[in-house]
Amino acid sequence: MSENSKQSIEPSVEPGVNDAAPPPARFSRRLSDRHTLDSRALEDIDRMTNIALGKLCGGVSPASLAMAYLDWTVHLASSPGKQFQLGAKAIRKAMRLGSYALTSAITGKAEPCIEPLRDDHRFDHPGWQRFPYNVIYQGFLLNQQWWHNATTDVRGIAKHSQASVSFTARQILDMAAPCNLPFLNPEIAETTLKERGANLVRGASNYREDFGRSLRKEAPAGVEAFRVGENLAITPGKVVYRNHLIELIQYSPSTDTVQLEPVLMQSAWMMKYYILDLSPHNSLVRYLVDRGHTVYMISWLNPGPEHRNLGMEDYRRHGTLAAVDAISEMQAGRKIHSVGYCLGGILLIITAAAMARDGDDRLASVTLFTTMTDFTEVGEINVFMDASEVTLLEDMMWQKGYLDHTQVSGGFQILKSADLIWSKMVREYYLGHREPMFDLMAWNADGTRMPYRQHSELLRRLYVDNELFEGKYMVEGRAISISDIHCPIFAVAAVADHVAPWHSVYKLHLQSDATELTFVLTSGGHNVGIINEPGHPGRSFQLSVCHEGDRCIDPETWKERTPSTAGSWWPVWQQWLTRHSSGSEAPPGMGAPDKGYPPLCDSPGTYVLQK
């Protein structure tokens, strides 16, 4: 281990200590925390007002929305050509719908005016093809298309304002869609007649149960069947290191020999780690262990109000770097295959860049799952990333000292409200079909909190100011650069990811100067694309390898030219890890008691059980 790395971590607890207390709060204040008014009392008045507005508006900044609509209204009002175009479109659509309705009423058959978008399955039921339901859904789709035209491509409007107005219009339309109304939805009508209302009775029961659980802040129905340490996160292992922020789990070997280089995995701190160790059939940890890899896992503390001042630097030094230091002590002379998922990947790339800058070469490779390094285009989540919205979120966190996981999951649900909110409502409350709980859904309901300071830094430094991509992100007083990382990189993006859009993940090509960059685009979304075990039907991926000196091509051209392979990308990655390892040996012991790292308890440890 290099002297630089030893000095950089300064662990606040001795390795293996179970009951170590968090370090004292010796943190500088963020710029947004410093006084801008004459007294703290005046600032607190403004904060409390902002908090009240946030609660009233569901966490959405009314100032941000008002400015966006003013921008759109003014520019649309000063665009008579656009107004004429919209008027003409409205007339043409009305005439097409009228002709369709008349033909359908007389003949029972008519050519549809418009088809739903490829991912829109709200009108798949055959009943929507019968009169008058066909006219109802065709009218909705034409109206939806008109509003898209009305809220986009207005000359002079700011990009963020256009995104906000278009997003809000779509949310209203999704809420008011005819499929959500029992008397306009043929599937609900047919089911109610067929079951003589039994579906509505079951739906009312489902709603009563869900509403009660929501008031009591309990997990969704069915989660109780999935228990961490019993049927989730059951790959055998030991906690071999613990400090005030992480537990480090070492998994027990299941093969006679293992690769010399161990694998260190970390998920986002807003996710419990066992998404990478779900059930035995889809555990990525077990998959690696069974193929001869020594695997370590970071399990994050679930922070409370007392941890409000923990920031990004604390998570880097006492999280990722502390784990690297501990493994380097336990397995001296071994480089480490590092793996980061989502925000955990962002923290890993920051750590790896700082290590590379300082000449610390302990990483054998870097693997990133659905990890953005450029935040210029972050998809529709950008609607919530302007200065007004970030200030509102900061003030709401300031009161509690953390961001609750329900706020995060609720925000992501809004991004796909048609599927995750309204269609679910129809299935469970009107049709009476309770969604069966499965392991990934149970994990998703078991969220964690994010400290006030850290989440604020994440939003401002990365999402708003894009410091990492622009080479302005400071670690220990000096800027870091991703181009300093020269070890092999394996990056995985998901084609349907609405959290980390794959086009943005692909931009790692513009920053990387690695000897080898392997990029994989897999089917599925942010989670399903990663929990992509072999044997699952319908999965596929595209893969390319970019070496130092190769030309970079744009993402759409890359997608068009790169062949698709059926199946899971897991075997390809595991073989890649083996290829970048230096041989095999007998499995190491659990921890290193002689070096101060005795096994502390069995996996899954204690931090993952914190609520």
Side-chain angles (χ1 to χ4, degrees):
M1 185 191 311
S2 69
E3 288 298 317
N4 287 340
S5 63
K6 289 183 179 179
Q7 294 172 2
S8 67
I9 181 65
E10 296 177 359
S12 58
V13 297
E14 293 297 325
V17 174
N18 281 296
D19 56 351
R26 299 187 301 269
F27 305 100
S28 62
R29 297 171 64 82
R30 293 180 300 101
L31 289 176
S32 58
D33 278 344
R34 293 173 182 165
H35 294 310
T36 56
L37 301 180
D38 296 334
S39 69
R40 181 184 294 272
L42 293 176
E43 289 188 341
D44 287 350
I45 291 173
D46 286 354
R47 284 186 185 275
M48 297 307 295
T49 302
N50 226 15
I51 291 169
L53 284 173
K55 291 179 178 179
L56 182 64
C57 301
V60 177
S61 170
S64 177
L65 204 58
M67 288 188 292
Y69 268 88
L70 179 62
D71 191 3
W72 172 69
T73 304
V74 170
H75 283 93
L76 183 60
S78 60
S79 302
K82 178 73 173 180
Q83 296 175 38
F84 179 82
Q85 180 191 55
L86 291 174
K89 282 180 177 288
I91 293 172
R92 288 198 302 269
K93 290 179 186 298
M95 293 178 64
R96 286 169 57 194
L97 182 63
S99 175
Y100 174 81
L102 183 61
T103 303
S104 181
I106 296 175
T107 67
K109 295 181 180 180
E111 190 69 24
C113 307
I114 185 174
E115 295 291 342
L117 297 174
R118 185 181 60 181
D119 297 328
D120 187 353
H121 301 288
R122 292 174 291 180
F123 306 104
D124 287 351
H125 189 270
W128 288 107
Q129 306 307 316
R130 298 195 306 267
F131 185 86
Y133 298 111
N134 57 348
V135 178
I136 294 172
Y137 100 87
Q138 284 285 292
F140 170 77
L141 292 180
L142 289 171
N143 187 41
Q144 179 179 258
Q145 187 184 62
W146 186 89
W147 274 105
H148 174 76
N149 294 329
T151 55
T152 58
D153 298 327
V154 178
R155 293 172 62 87
I157 188 174
K159 184 178 180 180
H160 183 269
S161 297
Q162 175 175 289
S164 297
V165 172
S166 181
F167 177 81
T168 305
R170 190 166 63 257
Q171 295 302 311
I172 296 172
L173 288 168
D174 287 343
M175 179 177 62
C179 53
N180 300 335
L181 304 175
F183 55 89
L184 295 181
N185 188 322
E187 185 177 9
I188 297 175
E190 289 179 10
T191 303
T192 302
L193 288 174
K194 181 179 178 180
E195 299 189 18
R196 298 182 180 180
N199 58 307
L200 298 178
V201 174
R202 292 195 307 273
S205 177
N206 291 341
Y207 176 78
R208 183 171 59 252
E209 181 180 14
D210 291 347
F211 185 70
R213 285 175 176 265
S214 176
L215 290 178
R216 296 189 297 270
K217 297 184 178 180
E218 296 177 354
V223 166
E224 54 275 2
F226 296 90
R227 294 175 294 277
V228 176
E230 296 183 27
N231 54 4
L232 297 175
I234 60 173
T235 303
K238 300 284 186 182
V239 173
V240 295
Y241 172 78
R242 178 188 291 125
N243 64 21
H244 67 281
L245 191 57
I246 68 167
E247 288 183 330
L248 182 64
I249 300 170
Q250 179 184 355
Y251 291 96
S252 303
S254 62
T255 55
D256 294 333
T257 61
V258 295
Q259 297 297 316
L260 289 170
E261 287 76 14
V263 179
L264 170 62
M265 310 181 80
Q266 67 177 28
S267 65
W269 48 89
M270 61 177 284
M271 305 158 55
K272 292 198 174 177
Y273 80 85
Y274 66 88
I275 186 174
L276 298 171
D277 184 27
L278 279 171
S279 305
H281 72 280
N282 60 1
S283 167
L284 184 53
V285 169
R286 181 181 289 272
Y287 184 83
L288 292 179
V289 170
D290 288 347
R291 282 154 184 80
H293 295 274
T294 300
V295 178
Y296 293 86
M297 177 71 72
I298 290 177
S299 176
W300 300 102
L301 172 82
N302 192 2
E306 68 275 18
H307 302 105
R308 64 184 297 123
N309 281 325
L310 289 175
M312 289 290 290
E313 180 62 8
D314 299 288
Y315 274 71
R316 184 191 72 86
R317 294 178 65 224
H318 303 298
T320 307
L321 196 55
V324 170
D325 285 343
I327 296 171
S328 297
E329 292 280 358
M330 288 184 283
Q331 294 190 238
R334 301 284 188 262
K335 291 192 175 184
I336 301 167
H337 292 300
S338 56
V339 183
Y341 186 178
C342 187
L343 296 181
I346 296 173
L347 186 62
L348 172 60
I349 206 75
I350 290 171
T351 304
M355 292 173 67
R357 180 199 64 189
D358 297 337
D360 186 343
D361 62 351
R362 288 178 291 165
L363 298 184
S365 70
V366 173
T367 296
L368 304 172
F369 297 156
T370 60
T371 298
M372 290 185 296
T373 54
D374 174 25
F375 296 82
T376 306
E377 298 174 343
V378 296
E380 290 189 328
I381 198 173
N382 188 53
V383 172
F384 304 107
M385 293 302 167
D386 68 330
S388 178
E389 184 64 38
V390 169
T391 300
L392 183 73
L393 287 174
E394 284 180 339
D395 287 346
M396 295 181 73
M397 289 188 296
W398 170 80
Q399 185 180 39
K400 291 183 177 180
Y402 58 82
L403 179 73
D404 194 82
H405 79 92
T406 56
Q407 293 176 267
V408 178
S409 60
F412 287 142
Q413 283 184 333
I414 290 175
L415 295 180
K416 298 186 69 175
S417 61
D419 294 330
L420 300 180
I421 297 178
W422 306 115
S423 293
K424 183 176 184 294
M425 176 194 72
V426 170
R427 289 191 304 272
E428 298 207 347
Y429 302 151
Y430 292 141
L431 298 178
H433 300 321
R434 174 63 87 180
E435 287 269 323
M437 184 63 64
F438 56 93
D439 51 9
L440 190 59
M441 286 179 63
W443 164 85
N444 193 53
D446 188 18
T448 61
R449 296 173 288 272
M450 297 177 67
Y452 162 63
R453 176 188 175 92
Q454 186 219 39
H455 189 239
S456 177
E457 290 177 347
L458 177 72
L459 292 180
R460 289 191 179 275
R461 298 181 66 182
L462 296 177
Y463 278 91
V464 176
D465 296 334
N466 204 13
E467 291 182 5
L468 184 59
F469 185 78
E470 296 181 1
K472 299 177 182 178
Y473 193 95
M474 306 293 286
V475 173
E476 296 181 342
R478 297 167 57 203
I480 61 171
S481 174
I482 293 175
S483 62
D484 286 337
I485 303 172
H486 296 299
C487 64
I489 297 177
F490 193 100
V492 182
V495 69
D497 193 342
H498 65 289
V499 178
W502 79 266
H503 290 81
S504 291
V505 178
Y506 183 86
K507 288 184 179 181
L508 179 62
H509 287 82
L510 303 179
Q511 299 169 286
S512 171
D513 200 19
T515 54
E516 176 187 312
L517 171 58
T518 302
F519 182 78
V520 171
L521 179 62
T522 181
S523 57
H526 189 70
N527 295 326
V528 173
I530 302 303
I531 310 307
N532 199 316
E533 71 279 5
H536 199 290
R539 303 291 172 86
S540 63
F541 65 92
Q542 296 170 271
L543 179 147
S544 68
V545 180
C546 181
H547 295 92
E548 193 172 9
D550 290 351
R551 294 179 179 177
C552 180
I553 59 177
D554 66 276
E556 289 301 333
T557 302
W558 177 91
K559 192 174 189 302
E560 182 182 342
R561 292 180 181 176
T562 306
S564 179
T565 303
S568 168
W569 55 268
W570 284 14
V572 176
W573 179 53
Q574 187 272 323
Q575 293 162 14
W576 182 88
L577 289 173
T578 302
R579 192 165 61 252
H580 289 89
S581 298
S582 56
S584 59
E585 63 176 356
M590 300 300 289
D594 58 325
K595 298 178 182 179
Y597 294 92
L600 303 176
C601 63
D602 292 333
S603 63
T606 60
Y607 283 1
V608 73
L609 302 177
Q610 293 173 336
K611 298 296 184 181

